Amino acid sequence: MARVVVDVMLKPEILDPQGQAVQRALPRLGFQGLSDVRQGKRFELEVDGPVDDAALARIHELAETFLANTVIEDFVVKVEDAEGSEKVAGAAK
């Protein structure tokens, strides 16, 4: 089995109220020097069989039609190897 990760983030021009709330709370908690916080979503998909071009195309379609609202969000598809390092397999903007 292989793991494919889909990271979904709001597009830069879209306001992120949750990220702003975290950013405002950080100084009160003693964390200084952070100028921006953006919050996103991470989906980890376990894939049966090899992660070939056809599997990645299906996952990209899944992300584009179901996991992300592409009007306001971008996403990146990454394949994780056994050691946990990632290789970017595709992005949508």
Side-chain angles (χ1 to χ4, degrees), residues 4-72:
V4 177
V5 175
V6 179
D7 288 317
V8 180
M9 294 292 295
L10 287 170
K11 291 182 177 184
E13 63 272 16
I14 303 297
L15 293 177
D16 182 359
Q18 291 176 311
Q20 291 173 346
V22 170
Q23 181 183 355
R24 286 191 303 271
L26 291 175
R28 292 191 306 269
L29 298 171
F31 296 99
Q32 305 296 326
L34 298 169
S35 61
D36 192 25
V37 175
R38 304 283 293 175
Q39 181 172 319
K41 300 178 278 190
R42 176 182 169 104
F43 297 91
E44 295 182 359
L45 309 170
E46 296 292 331
V47 179
D48 295 329
V51 181
D52 56 12
D53 289 341
L56 286 173
R58 287 193 320 271
I59 291 169
H60 193 275
E61 181 183 4
L62 165 72
E64 190 169 34
T65 59
F66 183 66
L67 302 179
N69 176 350
T70 56
V71 173
I72 62 169

